[in-house]
């Protein structure tokens, strides 16, 4: 009977029994939230019938929107055929095998193997297991330190939270002692006065080299990074950053792990962010858009350099999850890749919709509370300021951006706020008119916010 109770009852039960992720639990238990009840194309509806344009693709995952019947039908059909079986003990299943093969087709050529998980967090845990095993099998067990970046987001298990560089997460748990952090390539936030973007890009990239020297190359296993930091604020690195990181990785014996959980499957205009930035990772994390967000699935693409070692003896790789290669999730993944392939959507959204999205957002650069507009593909952020030159924030902490987000939500646009930035990742299936409507609603929220602060 749970589905038939009215909204106020549902909200009450939610407040009483449901602990929400990344939420102030006391505040939620007192005030509750919005019950989402239906979605179509790029629109979401709450239980009171309010319709919102989803400018975040769910949580950066429903890149193809909410009405993909091919994926829904594939899930249904697989549930009827083989709803579950594990991939331990010399067993496999057809969707897992076919998805492994299909992923090898769409990922860069160094990848011929995949390890499946249920989420991005577990996939990043798996990266650590793989990197450590790789060096252990070569008789270099001391090569285990991992370098990551401040303000990175790699998930919320203990290992993934340690890899991430989110202060509040580190404040609430003891991170792994073998993970070390360098600065992020966030020019607007940490660039120095009188330092060009390009100079800044080189300076922060060289922090990787300095960190490898400090820790000792013989002790460092890997550097992990998102091609574009998503949750940290859609941080577009300066043009000089990735080429310099690439040089440093090429000159040192460490693995490059690209976390493509957000960038993968078209977000930056190419299939993967590493293609946008011309990088050759040894390990690549994926999740989210692999099933268009309809059912949990994640994994790691593992390069030949690593499998050459893993497949050359040494016994069992002691790692796995009950649902690694779940047949239903893999059927959803296969159907998603089929839709991406048949629709040519990554190409059309990259060459037609994304340039329009970026150009329309750039029109907001002149707005009186906009400090910076940045973006790539269907991925963007707008920094809010009180003063364009001093970059002073609108209010204490992130208050201004929270106000702006609430205004946008009230106007019918689902966008998110991170720090003092508004962030957006609309579905790749958005039309030109829908992008116009997104930018118009955002513009109105900026006006309301500026008026509220008397600017
Ligand atoms: N890596 C990145 C880059 C992410 O953005 C996220 C989730 N937002 C994760 C990993 C973690 O994925 P999950 O929430 O599926 O564990």
């Amino acid at each position: 009977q749970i589905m038939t109770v009215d909204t106020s009852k549902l909200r009450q039960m939610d407040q009483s029994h449901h602990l929400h992720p990344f939420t102030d639990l006391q505040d939620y238990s007192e005030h509750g939230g919005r019950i989402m009840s239906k979605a179509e194309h790029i629109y979401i509806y709450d239980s009171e019938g309010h319709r919102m344009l989803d400018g975040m693709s769910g949580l950066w995952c429903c890149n193809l929107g909410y009405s993909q019947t091919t994926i829904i039908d594939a899930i249904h059909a697989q549930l009827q055929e083989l709803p579950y079986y594990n991939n331990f003990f010399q067993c496999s299943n057809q969707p897992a095998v076919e998805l492994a093969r299909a992923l090898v087709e769409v990922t860069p050529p160094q990848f011929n193997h995949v390890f499946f998980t249920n989420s991005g967090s577990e996939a990043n845990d798996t990266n650590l297991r793989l990197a450590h095993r790789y060096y252990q099998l070569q008789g270099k067990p001391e090569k285990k330190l991992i370098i990551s970046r401040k303000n990175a987001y790699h998930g919320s298990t203990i290992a993934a939270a340690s890899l991430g560089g989110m202060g509040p997460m580190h404040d609430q748990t003891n991170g792994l002692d073998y993970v070390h952090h360098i600065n992020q390539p966030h020019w607007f936030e940490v660039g120095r006065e009188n330092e060009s973007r390009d100079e800044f890009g080189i300076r922060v990239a060289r922090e990787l080299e300095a960190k490898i020297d400090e820790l000792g190359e013989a002790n460092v296993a890997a550097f992990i990074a998102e091609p574009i930091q998503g949750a940290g604020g859609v941080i577009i690195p300066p043009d000089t950053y990735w080429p310099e990181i690439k040089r440093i990785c090429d000159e040192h014996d460490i693995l490059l792990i690209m976390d493509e959980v957000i960038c993968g499957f078209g977000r930056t205009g190419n299939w993967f962010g590493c293609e946008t930035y011309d990088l050759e990772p040894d390990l690549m994390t994926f999740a989210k858009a692999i099933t268009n967000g309809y059912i949990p699935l994640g994994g790691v693409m593992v390069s030949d350099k690593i499998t050459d070692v893993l497949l050359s003896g040494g016994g069992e790789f002691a790692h796995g999850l009950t649902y690694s290669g779940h047949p239903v999730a893999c059927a959803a993944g296969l159907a998603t890749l089929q839709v991406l392939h048949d629709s040519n959507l990554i190409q059309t959204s990259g060459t037609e919709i994304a340039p329009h999205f970026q150009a329309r957002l750039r029109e907001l650069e002149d707005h009186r509370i906009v400090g910076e507009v940045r973006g790539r593909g269907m991925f963007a952020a707008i920094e809010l300021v009180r003063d364009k030159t001093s970059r002073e924030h609108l209010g204490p902490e992130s208050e201004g951006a929270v106000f702006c987000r609430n205004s946008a939500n009230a106007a019918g646009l689902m966008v998110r706020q991170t720090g003092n930035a508004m962030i957006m990742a609309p579905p790749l299936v958005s039309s030109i008119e829908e992008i116009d409507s997104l930018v118009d609603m955002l513009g109105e929220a900026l006006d309301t916010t500026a008026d509220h602060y008397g600017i």
Side-chain angles (χ1 to χ4, degrees):
Q1 291 306 306
I2 284 172
M3 299 305 284
T4 60
V5 294
D6 65 25
T7 289
S8 60
K9 188 87 190 295
L10 264 182
R11 291 188 65 206
Q12 218 175 56
M13 289 180 350
D14 188 37
Q15 286 164 251
S16 305
H17 305 297
H18 183 184
L19 299 176
H20 285 251
F22 286 101
T23 296
D24 179 329
L25 298 176
Q26 183 191 4
D27 179 79
Y28 198 90
S29 74
E30 286 165 9
H31 300 106
R34 192 193 288 273
I35 311 276
M36 307 313 291
S37 56
K38 183 176 131 96
E40 256 169 23
H41 180 46
I42 65 164
Y43 298 95
I44 45 179
Y45 296 79
D46 69 20
S47 60
E48 288 166 320
H50 298 126
R51 183 177 102 138
M52 298 171 97
L53 190 159
D54 184 8
M56 282 304 301
S57 303
L59 201 47
W60 331 83
C61 48
C62 301
N63 287 3
L64 306 173
Y66 295 95
S67 302
Q68 293 296 340
T69 48
T70 308
I71 307 171
I72 296 163
D73 292 347
I75 291 171
H76 186 235
Q78 186 56 44
L79 276 169
Q80 289 175 316
E81 193 66 28
L82 177 71
Y84 174 73
Y85 201 70
N86 68 66
N87 286 282
F88 293 40
F89 322 126
Q90 283 67 44
C91 290
S92 199
N93 67 71
Q94 187 174 343
V97 176
E98 288 184 355
L99 181 58
R101 175 71 211 157
L103 282 166
V104 165
E105 292 287 325
V106 299
T107 53
Q110 69 271 30
F111 296 118
N112 282 297
H113 292 83
V114 60
F115 192 100
F116 288 118
T117 68
N118 309 290
S119 66
S121 301
E122 291 168 339
N124 281 326
D125 276 44
T126 299
N127 277 323
L128 296 193
R129 302 295 303 275
L130 285 164
H132 288 167
R133 181 73 177 145
Y134 170 72
Y135 284 117
Q136 189 190 53
L137 283 169
Q138 295 176 86
K140 299 178 187 170
E142 67 289 348
K143 227 168 144 53
K144 64 172 191 221
L145 307 182
I146 312 285
I147 302 173
S148 181
R149 303 182 298 183
K150 293 178 187 160
N151 199 35
Y153 189 81
H154 295 297
S156 198
T157 56
I158 298 278
S162 305
L163 290 172
M166 297 287 172
M169 294 173 77
H170 283 265
D171 289 346
Q172 291 182 20
T173 190
N174 284 326
L176 300 172
D177 61 7
Y178 55 80
V179 180
H180 297 260
H181 294 85
I182 58 173
N183 270 312
Q184 54 175 332
H186 193 351
W187 183 76
F188 191 81
E189 195 68 26
V190 283
R192 289 180 190 147
E193 244 178 84
N194 302 325
E195 182 181 39
S196 73
R197 255 176 198 281
D198 286 350
E199 288 163 349
F200 169 71
I202 298 279
R203 176 167 69 81
V204 280
R206 290 195 181 151
E207 286 191 21
L208 175 60
E209 198 157 42
K211 190 54 98 178
I212 296 171
D213 290 344
E214 177 196 323
L215 299 170
E217 186 174 330
N219 303 315
V220 178
F223 173 58
I224 181 169
E226 303 152 79
I228 294 171
Q229 280 159 267
V234 189
I235 295 150
I236 310 291
D239 292 343
T240 49
Y241 181 76
W242 279 118
E244 185 65 2
I245 293 279
K246 189 173 179 191
R247 175 194 68 75
I248 295 165
C249 289
D250 287 348
E251 289 177 14
H252 294 82
D253 171 27
I254 65 163
L255 301 173
L256 175 61
I257 308 174
M258 292 264 80
D259 184 339
E260 297 263 6
V261 167
I262 291 181
C263 293
F265 307 104
R267 180 57 58 197
T268 67
N270 295 298
W271 273 84
F272 295 96
C274 62
E275 292 161 334
T276 299
Y277 289 109
D278 193 24
L279 299 164
E280 249 183 75
D282 301 299
L283 293 161
M284 194 167 95
T285 321
F286 63 88
K288 295 190 188 275
I290 176 63
T291 60
N292 202 33
Y294 288 4
I295 206 157
L297 179 66
V300 177
M301 295 306 299
V302 186
S303 65
D304 293 344
K305 172 172 155 183
I306 293 174
T307 51
D308 283 352
V309 173
L310 294 180
L311 273 62
S312 65
E316 176 179 308
F317 177 44
H319 174 61
L321 305 155
T322 300
Y323 302 121
S324 292
H326 193 292
V328 179
C330 290
L334 258 180
T336 304
L337 292 186
Q338 193 68 53
V339 175
L340 284 173
H341 181 265
D342 294 348
S343 64
N344 202 25
L345 190 75
I346 293 178
Q347 168 82 11
T348 44
S349 86
T351 55
E352 291 166 29
I353 308 298
H356 181 76
F357 174 54
Q358 296 295 339
R360 285 291 330 266
L361 284 178
R362 292 303 184 289
E363 291 170 13
L364 298 173
E365 251 162 6
D366 293 334
H367 195 282
R368 55 201 190 278
I369 58 165
V370 171
E372 181 182 69
V373 177
R374 54 176 182 263
R376 185 108 194 206
M378 295 291 272
F379 208 14
I382 296 186
E383 291 282 348
L384 305 189
V385 290
R386 171 173 291 277
D387 181 297
K388 281 175 184 274
T389 321
S390 71
R391 299 181 188 172
E392 188 194 336
H393 297 152
L394 281 173
E397 300 200 354
S398 306
E399 191 198 272
V402 170
F403 183 92
C404 185
R405 182 208 53 203
N406 292 344
S407 306
N409 289 173
L413 173 64
M414 180 56 89
V415 279
R416 214 172 123 182
Q417 150 278 331
T418 295
N420 287 288
M422 305 301 298
I423 55 181
M424 284 145 281
L428 310 189
V429 291
S430 305
S431 68
I432 296 277
E433 294 72 30
E434 286 159 344
I435 291 296
D436 284 340
S437 148
L438 183 161
V439 178
D440 291 345
M441 283 191 272
L442 189 68
E444 283 165 31
L446 291 173
D447 290 344
T448 312
T449 308
D451 290 348
H452 175 79
Y453 284 96
I455 298 165

